[in-house]
Amino acid sequence: DAKTTQPTSMDCAEGRAANLPCNHSTISGNEYVYWYRQIHSQGPQYIIHGLKNNETNEMASLIITEDRKSSTLILPHATLRDTAVYYCIVRGNFNKFYFGSGTKLNVKP
Amino acid sequence: DGGITQSPKYLFRKEGQNVTLSCEQNLNHDAMYWYRQDPGQGLRLIYYSQIVNDFQKGDIAEGYSVSREKKESFPLTVTSAQKNPTAFYLCATSVGPNTEAFFGQGTRLTVV
Protein backbone atom coordinates (compact mmCIF):
# COMPACT_ATOMS: atom_id res chain seq x y z
CA ASP A 1 0.00 0.00 0.00
CA ALA A 2 1.14 3.53 -0.76
CA LYS A 3 2.25 5.67 2.13
CA THR A 4 1.10 9.22 2.75
CA THR A 5 2.71 12.47 3.91
CA GLN A 6 0.76 15.12 5.81
CA PRO A 7 1.76 18.28 7.69
CA THR A 8 2.00 17.76 11.41
CA SER A 9 -0.39 20.56 12.32
CA MET A 10 -2.49 23.36 10.85
CA ASP A 11 -4.53 26.27 12.16
CA CYS A 12 -7.82 27.52 10.78
CA ALA A 13 -10.12 30.36 11.84
CA GLU A 14 -13.65 29.39 12.79
CA GLY A 15 -16.05 29.85 9.86
CA ARG A 16 -13.30 29.70 7.27
CA ALA A 17 -12.51 26.80 4.96
CA ALA A 18 -9.92 24.31 6.19
CA ASN A 19 -7.78 22.81 3.43
CA LEU A 20 -5.79 19.78 4.51
CA PRO A 21 -3.18 18.51 2.03
CA CYS A 22 -1.88 14.99 1.58
CA ASN A 23 0.87 13.61 -0.64
CA HIS A 24 0.68 10.04 -1.89
CA SER A 25 3.19 10.00 -4.72
CA THR A 26 3.50 6.18 -4.87
CA ILE A 27 -0.21 5.53 -5.22
CA SER A 28 -1.15 2.89 -7.77
CA GLY A 29 -4.11 2.75 -10.12
CA ASN A 30 -6.53 0.76 -7.98
CA GLU A 31 -5.83 2.44 -4.64
CA TYR A 32 -8.45 4.66 -3.07
CA VAL A 33 -7.77 7.72 -0.91
CA TYR A 34 -9.64 7.78 2.41
CA TRP A 35 -9.90 10.49 5.04
CA TYR A 36 -10.70 9.92 8.69
CA ARG A 37 -10.57 12.13 11.74
CA GLN A 38 -10.05 11.33 15.39
CA ILE A 39 -11.07 13.37 18.36
CA HIS A 40 -9.08 12.64 21.48
CA SER A 41 -9.69 9.21 23.00
CA GLN A 42 -12.38 8.25 20.51
CA GLY A 43 -12.46 5.90 17.55
CA PRO A 44 -11.64 7.42 14.14
CA GLN A 45 -14.60 8.77 12.20
CA TYR A 46 -14.92 8.19 8.46
CA ILE A 47 -15.17 11.40 6.41
CA ILE A 48 -14.89 10.67 2.70
CA HIS A 49 -13.06 8.60 0.10
CA GLY A 50 -12.39 8.67 -3.64
CA LEU A 51 -10.47 7.10 -6.51
CA LYS A 52 -10.05 9.63 -9.31
CA ASN A 53 -12.91 12.09 -9.31
CA ASN A 54 -13.52 14.81 -6.79
CA GLU A 55 -16.05 13.83 -4.16
CA THR A 56 -18.37 15.80 -1.89
CA ASN A 57 -20.64 14.79 0.96
CA GLU A 58 -22.32 16.52 3.86
CA MET A 59 -19.08 16.71 5.82
CA ALA A 60 -16.40 17.64 3.33
CA SER A 61 -15.02 17.72 -0.20
CA LEU A 62 -12.13 15.68 -1.53
CA ILE A 63 -10.04 17.04 -4.37
CA ILE A 64 -7.66 14.57 -6.04
CA THR A 65 -5.08 15.84 -8.54
CA GLU A 66 -5.17 14.48 -12.06
CA ASP A 67 -1.98 12.45 -11.55
CA ARG A 68 -3.45 11.21 -8.23
CA LYS A 69 -0.23 11.92 -6.39
CA SER A 70 -1.84 14.30 -3.94
CA SER A 71 -5.21 15.25 -2.55
CA THR A 72 -6.84 17.93 -0.41
CA LEU A 73 -9.62 17.55 2.11
CA ILE A 74 -11.77 20.66 2.37
CA LEU A 75 -13.99 21.46 5.35
CA PRO A 76 -15.99 24.36 3.91
CA HIS A 77 -16.90 26.15 7.13
CA ALA A 78 -14.77 24.94 10.01
CA THR A 79 -16.22 24.97 13.52
CA LEU A 80 -14.56 24.45 16.88
CA ARG A 81 -15.91 20.90 16.85
CA ASP A 82 -13.77 20.16 13.79
CA THR A 83 -10.64 20.36 15.92
CA ALA A 84 -9.16 16.86 15.59
CA VAL A 85 -6.39 14.79 14.03
CA TYR A 86 -7.09 14.14 10.34
CA TYR A 87 -5.68 11.04 8.68
CA CYS A 88 -5.17 10.58 4.96
CA ILE A 89 -4.98 6.91 4.00
CA VAL A 90 -4.32 5.15 0.73
CA ARG A 91 -5.88 1.73 0.67
CA GLY A 92 -5.29 -0.87 -1.99
CA ASN A 93 -5.49 -4.32 -0.52
CA PHE A 94 -8.87 -5.33 0.78
CA ASN A 95 -7.84 -5.57 4.37
CA LYS A 96 -5.39 -2.90 5.25
CA PHE A 97 -5.84 0.71 6.23
CA TYR A 98 -2.45 2.20 7.02
CA PHE A 99 -2.65 5.21 9.30
CA GLY A 100 0.24 7.67 9.49
CA SER A 101 0.59 10.35 12.15
CA GLY A 102 -2.03 12.64 10.60
CA THR A 103 -2.54 16.42 10.74
CA LYS A 104 -3.65 18.08 13.94
CA LEU A 105 -6.18 20.71 12.88
CA ASN A 106 -6.70 23.52 15.39
CA VAL A 107 -9.81 25.58 14.71
CA LYS A 108 -9.56 28.90 16.52
CA PRO A 109 -12.33 31.35 17.43
CA ASP B 1 -28.75 0.07 18.35
CA GLY B 2 -26.43 -0.84 15.49
CA GLY B 3 -22.70 -0.60 15.48
CA ILE B 4 -19.48 -1.85 16.97
CA THR B 5 -19.17 -2.45 20.68
CA GLN B 6 -15.86 -2.64 22.45
CA SER B 7 -15.80 -3.53 26.08
CA PRO B 8 -14.71 -2.54 28.57
CA LYS B 9 -13.75 1.09 27.91
CA TYR B 10 -10.97 0.98 30.51
CA LEU B 11 -9.10 -2.14 31.58
CA PHE B 12 -6.36 -2.63 34.15
CA ARG B 13 -4.21 -5.74 34.46
CA LYS B 14 -1.15 -6.83 36.29
CA GLU B 15 2.00 -7.52 34.36
CA GLY B 16 2.28 -11.15 33.27
CA GLN B 17 -1.46 -11.74 32.95
CA ASN B 18 -3.22 -12.43 29.67
CA VAL B 19 -6.21 -10.24 28.93
CA THR B 20 -8.94 -10.47 26.28
CA LEU B 21 -10.54 -7.43 24.68
CA SER B 22 -14.02 -7.81 23.27
CA CYS B 23 -15.26 -6.54 19.89
CA GLU B 24 -18.82 -7.25 18.78
CA GLN B 25 -20.61 -5.95 15.69
CA ASN B 26 -24.16 -6.19 14.40
CA LEU B 27 -23.47 -4.55 11.04
CA ASN B 28 -23.16 -7.90 9.25
CA HIS B 29 -19.72 -6.88 7.99
CA ASP B 30 -17.34 -9.58 6.80
CA ALA B 31 -14.04 -7.88 7.60
CA MET B 32 -12.84 -7.00 11.09
CA TYR B 33 -9.61 -5.40 12.26
CA TRP B 34 -7.65 -4.68 15.42
CA TYR B 35 -5.44 -1.62 15.74
CA ARG B 36 -3.20 -0.33 18.48
CA GLN B 37 -2.60 3.37 19.13
CA ASP B 38 0.13 4.83 21.34
CA PRO B 39 0.08 8.45 22.57
CA GLY B 40 0.61 10.99 19.79
CA GLN B 41 0.87 8.34 17.11
CA GLY B 42 -1.29 6.88 14.37
CA LEU B 43 -2.94 3.47 14.39
CA ARG B 44 -0.96 0.29 13.75
CA LEU B 45 -2.59 -2.89 12.46
CA ILE B 46 -2.37 -5.93 14.75
CA TYR B 47 -4.62 -8.54 13.11
CA TYR B 48 -7.39 -8.62 10.56
CA SER B 49 -10.01 -11.09 9.41
CA GLN B 50 -11.78 -11.22 6.06
CA ILE B 51 -14.19 -13.99 6.96
CA VAL B 52 -15.19 -16.35 9.75
CA ASN B 53 -12.49 -18.84 10.76
CA ASP B 54 -9.81 -16.89 8.92
CA PHE B 55 -7.45 -14.16 10.11
CA GLN B 56 -4.12 -12.67 9.12
CA LYS B 57 -1.27 -10.99 10.98
CA GLY B 58 -0.84 -7.29 10.61
CA ASP B 59 2.32 -5.28 11.21
CA ILE B 60 2.64 -5.80 14.97
CA ALA B 61 1.08 -9.20 15.73
CA GLU B 62 3.78 -10.44 18.13
CA GLY B 63 2.39 -10.97 21.61
CA TYR B 64 -1.24 -10.93 20.44
CA SER B 65 -3.72 -13.60 19.37
CA VAL B 66 -7.23 -13.52 17.89
CA SER B 67 -10.08 -15.81 16.94
CA ARG B 68 -12.99 -15.43 14.53
CA GLU B 69 -15.47 -18.18 15.37
CA LYS B 70 -18.50 -16.01 14.66
CA LYS B 71 -19.09 -13.26 12.14
CA GLU B 72 -20.16 -10.88 14.90
CA SER B 73 -17.16 -11.33 17.18
CA PHE B 74 -13.40 -10.79 16.91
CA PRO B 75 -11.79 -10.93 20.36
CA LEU B 76 -8.16 -9.91 20.86
CA THR B 77 -5.98 -11.51 23.53
CA VAL B 78 -3.00 -9.56 24.78
CA THR B 79 -0.59 -12.17 26.08
CA SER B 80 2.20 -11.88 28.60
CA ALA B 81 4.63 -12.06 25.65
CA GLN B 82 3.63 -8.55 24.55
CA LYS B 83 6.46 -6.39 25.88
CA ASN B 84 4.61 -3.09 26.11
CA PRO B 85 0.87 -3.78 26.20
CA THR B 86 -0.33 -0.47 27.66
CA ALA B 87 -2.10 1.29 24.78
CA PHE B 88 -5.42 2.29 23.25
CA TYR B 89 -6.94 -0.60 21.25
CA LEU B 90 -9.40 -0.03 18.43
CA CYS B 91 -11.60 -2.52 16.59
CA ALA B 92 -13.00 -1.80 13.13
CA THR B 93 -15.20 -3.47 10.52
CA SER B 94 -15.86 -3.06 6.82
CA VAL B 95 -18.27 -4.52 4.30
CA GLY B 96 -15.77 -5.43 1.64
CA PRO B 97 -13.23 -4.14 -0.88
CA ASN B 98 -13.02 -0.40 -1.38
CA THR B 99 -15.52 0.44 1.32
CA GLU B 100 -14.96 2.50 4.42
CA ALA B 101 -14.14 1.00 7.79
CA PHE B 102 -16.15 1.81 10.90
CA PHE B 103 -14.47 1.99 14.27
CA GLY B 104 -15.52 1.19 17.79
CA GLN B 105 -14.85 3.60 20.65
CA GLY B 106 -11.80 1.71 21.83
CA THR B 107 -10.48 0.05 24.98
CA ARG B 108 -7.73 1.70 26.96
CA LEU B 109 -5.57 -1.03 28.49
CA THR B 110 -3.20 -0.24 31.31
CA VAL B 111 -0.80 -2.89 32.57
CA VAL B 112 0.80 -2.23 35.91
Side-chain angles (χ1 to χ4, degrees):
Chain A
D1 290 327
K3 296 298 186 283
T4 61
T5 305
Q6 299 177 254
T8 303
S9 66
M10 295 181 63
D11 292 335
C12 178
E14 189 178 18
R16 303 296 295 269
N19 296 285
L20 290 87
C22 179
N23 288 321
H24 30 80
S25 58
T26 59
I27 194 170
S28 61
N30 64 342
E31 293 181 324
Y32 281 70
V33 179
Y34 287 77
W35 283 84
Y36 282 78
R37 71 181 182 184
Q38 187 178 28
I39 298 170
H40 183 63
S41 296
Q42 296 183 22
Q45 177 189 22
Y46 166 78
I47 301 173
I48 199 167
H49 74 285
L51 181 63
K52 294 181 182 177
N53 300 322
N54 298 338
E55 302 287 344
T56 295
N57 62 20
E58 64 278 4
M59 288 183 68
S61 295
L62 173 60
I63 309 298
I64 303 174
T65 58
E66 193 169 344
D67 62 7
R68 302 209 326 119
K69 293 185 177 182
S70 66
S71 61
T72 300
L73 178 74
I74 301 172
L75 307 178
H77 305 286
T79 71
L80 297 178
R81 288 179 295 179
D82 292 322
T83 293
V85 177
Y86 287 77
Y87 295 100
C88 168
I89 301 154
V90 173
R91 181 197 192 200
N93 292 336
F94 169 71
N95 294 302
K96 298 182 181 181
F97 288 87
Y98 283 101
F99 285 74
S101 298
T103 296
K104 177 70 166 68
L105 177 66
N106 298 301
V107 181
K108 301 185 175 182
Chain B
D1 189 24
I4 304 165
T5 301
Q6 290 189 244
S7 60
K9 189 172 177 65
Y10 298 96
L11 190 55
F12 295 87
R13 279 294 182 270
K14 291 185 178 180
E15 191 172 346
Q17 291 181 333
N18 292 354
V19 59
T20 297
L21 281 59
S22 169
C23 179
E24 302 283 330
Q25 56 111 350
N26 61 4
L27 301 171
N28 201 34
H29 288 177
D30 285 317
M32 298 187 74
Y33 314 76
W34 274 105
Y35 287 87
R36 169 188 172 131
Q37 186 173 35
D38 293 288
Q41 299 187 27
L43 283 67
R44 291 185 290 168
L45 183 63
I46 305 172
Y47 268 98
Y48 59 99
S49 169
Q50 297 185 57
I51 199 167
V52 174
N53 292 322
D54 180 68
F55 50 83
Q56 306 294 329
K57 292 182 178 180
D59 299 317
I60 55 165
E62 185 176 351
Y64 299 98
S65 65
V66 294
S67 63
R68 187 82 187 276
E69 297 176 1
K70 299 185 299 182
K71 189 175 187 177
E72 302 80 19
S73 179
F74 190 41
L76 174 74
T77 297
V78 184
T79 74
S80 56
Q82 168 51 232
K83 295 287 186 278
N84 187 18
T86 294
F88 187 46
Y89 290 88
L90 286 154
C91 176
T93 72
S94 69
V95 172
N98 299 322
T99 62
E100 64 268 34
F102 298 90
F103 284 81
Q105 289 306 299
T107 292
R108 190 166 298 280
L109 173 65
T110 301
V111 176
V112 296

